């Protein structure tokens, strides 16, 4: 079953704008991760946030986690055409267990 | 460092035929995963190995799917017989150990069942 649900399903923006996508999940988690998938390619790990963390940054990425609301958001600042991809949140309920992915948000950045 | 290798990249078969996919994880990675990704959805775990032992195969349709990792390195996933609903991308991922959170994905095998 899908643990995470991303919102929106699709997002279209112009280069230079910020993109925000959200993820909600159902059960308590150990970690939450965000992955990117370019068309026809495998998934690439972007960032991990632990259940006891509230915010994390990596380059142009900012992730927040609200465990009381069982939700996370991924912000991509100053978007580029190369950011066009599908973005998935994935959770694990405890260390050593497999990731459970959401359905993803498809981001399109036009120049 | 070489990434996760998968072959073939594409496969088209008729329903009721058999098919096998191969995965070679990153060298030294003890944990290996097979995921099924149906179009428009996120990946769903089929099976997880730690070395040559199965950790989780609770979502593997065992009446038609099988997987092995005999020497604890590369792995094969087989479907026999295939159904139309098996059309999907099959992704292999690996990580250094069970406690390592990030997974490294291969490019996937796109299967079309006609």
């Amino acid at each position: 079953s899908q643990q995470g649900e991303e919102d929106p399903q699709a997002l279209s923006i112009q280069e230079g704008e910020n993109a925000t996508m959200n993820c909600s999940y159902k059960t308590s988690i150990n970690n939450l991760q965000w992955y990117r998938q370019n068309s026809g390619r495998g998934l690439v790990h972007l960032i991990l946030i632990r259940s006891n963390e509230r915010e994390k940054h990596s380059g142009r990425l900012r992730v927040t986690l609200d465990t009381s609301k069982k939700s996370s958001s991924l912000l991509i600042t100053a978007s580029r055409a190369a950011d066009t991809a599908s973005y998935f949140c994935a959770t694990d309920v405890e260390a050593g267990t497999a990731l459970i992915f959401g359905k993803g948000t498809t981001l399109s950045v036009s120049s | 460092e070489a990434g996760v290798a998968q072959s073939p990249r594409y496969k088209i078969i008729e329903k009721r035929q058999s098919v096998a996919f191969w995965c070679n994880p990153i060298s030294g990675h003890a944990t290996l995963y097979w995921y099924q990704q149906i179009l428009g959805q996120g990946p769903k775990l089929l099976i997880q190995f730690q070395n040559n032992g199965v950790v989780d195969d609770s979502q593997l349709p065992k009446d038609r799917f099988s997987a092995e990792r005999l020497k604890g390195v590369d792995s094969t996933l087989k479907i026999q017989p295939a159904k139309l609903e098996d059309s999907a991308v099959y992704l292999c991922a690996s990580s250094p150990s069970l406690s390592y959170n990030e997974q490294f994905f291969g490019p996937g095998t796109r299967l079309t069942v006609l």
Side-chain angles (χ1 to χ4, degrees):
Chain A
S1 63
Q2 305 277 171
Q3 159 80 307
E5 292 290 336
E6 286 90 342
D7 170 59
Q9 288 189 327
L11 180 60
S12 294
I13 60 174
Q14 298 284 326
E15 262 192 331
E17 294 181 336
N18 296 341
T20 300
M21 50 204 87
N22 305 295
C23 167
S24 60
Y25 55 90
K26 300 174 184 175
T27 65
S28 297
I29 62 170
N30 180 45
N31 300 305
L32 186 143
Q33 304 181 47
W34 285 90
Y35 283 80
R36 182 186 72 223
Q37 185 175 38
N38 292 89
S39 179
R41 307 276 292 275
L43 285 86
V44 174
H45 180 264
L46 295 176
I47 194 166
L48 176 150
I49 187 165
R50 302 187 189 282
S51 59
N52 61 355
E53 296 176 314
R54 292 297 167 257
E55 186 171 316
K56 205 157 182 185
H57 296 255
S58 176
R60 294 184 296 113
L61 305 180
R62 172 178 170 256
V63 171
T64 61
L65 178 65
D66 186 336
T67 53
S68 67
K69 295 181 179 178
K70 292 187 170 60
S71 67
S72 172
S73 67
L74 171 67
L75 169 66
I76 304 173
T77 60
S79 296
R80 306 165 181 170
D83 294 328
T84 295
S86 292
Y87 292 81
F88 295 90
C89 69
T91 57
D92 61 305
V93 296
E94 61 181 74
T97 60
L99 294 176
I100 304 174
F101 287 82
K103 293 185 177 181
T105 291
T106 300
L107 173 65
S108 177
V109 182
S110 54
S111 54
Chain B
E1 178 182 78
V4 176
Q6 290 188 247
S7 68
R9 290 295 311 276
Y10 304 92
K11 189 75 177 179
I12 300 174
I13 61 172
E14 301 278 337
K15 61 182 178 183
R16 291 188 289 274
Q17 285 187 324
S18 302
V19 64
F21 312 128
W22 175 81
C23 171
N24 189 26
I26 293 172
S27 178
H29 280 198
T31 311
L32 185 146
Y33 309 81
W34 282 102
Y35 289 89
Q36 179 193 58
Q37 185 177 21
I38 293 172
L39 185 65
Q41 298 184 21
K44 184 187 82 171
L45 179 75
L46 291 175
I47 190 167
Q48 176 185 356
F49 291 95
Q50 175 67 8
N51 296 311
N52 61 350
V54 175
V55 175
D56 183 356
D57 64 356
S58 58
Q59 298 189 81
L60 186 73
K62 298 180 185 65
D63 58 333
R64 298 184 300 105
F65 286 64
S66 64
E68 59 183 16
R69 194 185 184 200
L70 293 176
K71 296 183 179 179
V73 180
D74 54 355
S75 175
T76 55
L77 176 70
K78 296 179 182 178
I79 308 175
Q80 180 180 12
K83 292 184 175 181
L84 296 177
E85 58 261 37
D86 298 331
S87 293
V89 176
Y90 290 84
L91 295 163
C92 179
S94 69
S95 65
S97 67
L98 279 177
S99 60
Y100 195 89
N101 298 296
E102 180 183 348
Q103 295 182 20
F104 299 83
F105 283 80
T109 296
R110 182 176 298 276
L111 173 67
T112 301
V113 182
L114 302 175

